[in-house]
């Protein structure tokens, strides 16, 4: 089963990107995935969304550090190139950009991953915060070319609040 999100989200995938079927999301452990239609030397840039409910008191920086460590377990190297805490005290968020060297499908690749961590309030329990992580992964050569699509995608992400009858 694909990862579930702490809150339902509404968003619009970038134009021309291919939305992955639910079975692929399941194997990736994400709630949503889309891939760029034109791979760069065999690697397709992708956008993924996952999330959950972190322990109380965990900061966005601690979650970002844990993500870096998890990536290091499967990659040749991972370097934090940029990290910024954004948002507010009530709705903290963090963005970070990672430079990754990893073997993917038998080929050593230089990748860049841009991550956005958003804390959201659980509508059923306002004292509980959920986390949504949105990531763009692309080759170093293609990252800047697809970054605008990712930024446009981020502008469409919002909680999917049901309309009242």
């Amino acid at each position: 089963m694909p990862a579930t999100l702490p809150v339902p989200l509404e968003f619009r995938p970038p134009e021309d990107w291919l939305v992955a079927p639910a079975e692929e999301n399941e194997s990736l452990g994400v709630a949503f995935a889309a891939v760029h239609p034109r791979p760069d030397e065999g690697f397709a840039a992708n956008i993924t969304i996952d999330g959950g409910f972190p322990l109380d008191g965990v900061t966005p920086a601690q979650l970002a550090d844990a993500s870096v460590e998890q990536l290091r377990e499967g990659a040749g190297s991972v370097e934090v190139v940029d990290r910024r805490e954004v948002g507010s005290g009530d709705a903290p968020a963090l963005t970070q950009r990672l430079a990754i060297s990893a073997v993917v499908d038998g080929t050593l690749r230089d990748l860049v991953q841009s991550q956005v961590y958003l804390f959201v309030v659980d509508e059923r329990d306002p004292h509980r915060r959920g986390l949504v992580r949105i990531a763009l992964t692309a080759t170093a050569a293609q990252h800047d070319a697809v970054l605008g699509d990712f930024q446009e995608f981020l502008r469409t992400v919002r909680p999917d609040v049901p309309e009242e009858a």
Side-chain angles (χ1 to χ4, degrees):
M1 166 173 261
T4 57
L5 296 173
V7 297
L9 292 179
E10 175 183 308
F11 51 84
R12 190 176 61 250
E15 192 171 321
D16 297 330
W17 285 58
L18 309 170
V19 175
E23 311 81 63
E24 287 184 33
N25 294 346
E26 179 180 334
S27 68
L28 296 170
V30 299
F32 170 82
V35 295
H36 193 268
R38 291 175 298 286
D40 177 36
E41 298 197 19
F43 184 88
N46 59 80
I47 295 172
T48 58
I49 303 175
D50 65 358
F53 289 100
L55 298 173
D56 285 342
V58 172
T59 67
Q62 290 169 319
L63 292 166
D65 288 342
S67 178
V68 169
E69 290 310 312
Q70 183 179 18
L71 284 168
R72 282 187 177 137
E73 291 174 9
S77 70
V78 179
E79 176 188 347
V80 178
V81 176
D82 184 50
R83 180 181 284 181
R84 296 167 198 236
E85 292 196 38
V86 294
S88 65
D90 293 337
L94 181 139
T95 64
Q96 72 177 3
R97 183 175 296 187
L98 309 173
I100 304 167
S101 289
V103 175
V104 179
D105 295 330
T107 302
L108 181 63
R109 301 202 182 266
D110 290 327
L111 305 174
V112 175
Q113 187 172 85
S114 293
Q115 299 177 333
V116 177
Y117 292 81
L118 305 170
F119 276 100
V120 291
V121 174
D122 181 355
E123 295 290 324
R124 295 163 297 213
D125 180 359
H127 300 292
R128 203 166 110 160
R129 294 184 311 165
L131 170 78
V132 174
R133 177 176 55 180
I134 306 169
L136 166 68
T137 307
T139 62
Q142 191 179 36
H143 183 268
D144 290 349
V146 297
L147 184 59
D149 286 350
F150 182 60
Q151 291 168 332
E152 185 63 35
F153 173 75
L154 290 171
R155 285 190 273 281
T156 72
V157 176
R158 61 188 40 88
D160 186 8
V161 180
E163 293 182 26
E164 294 185 32

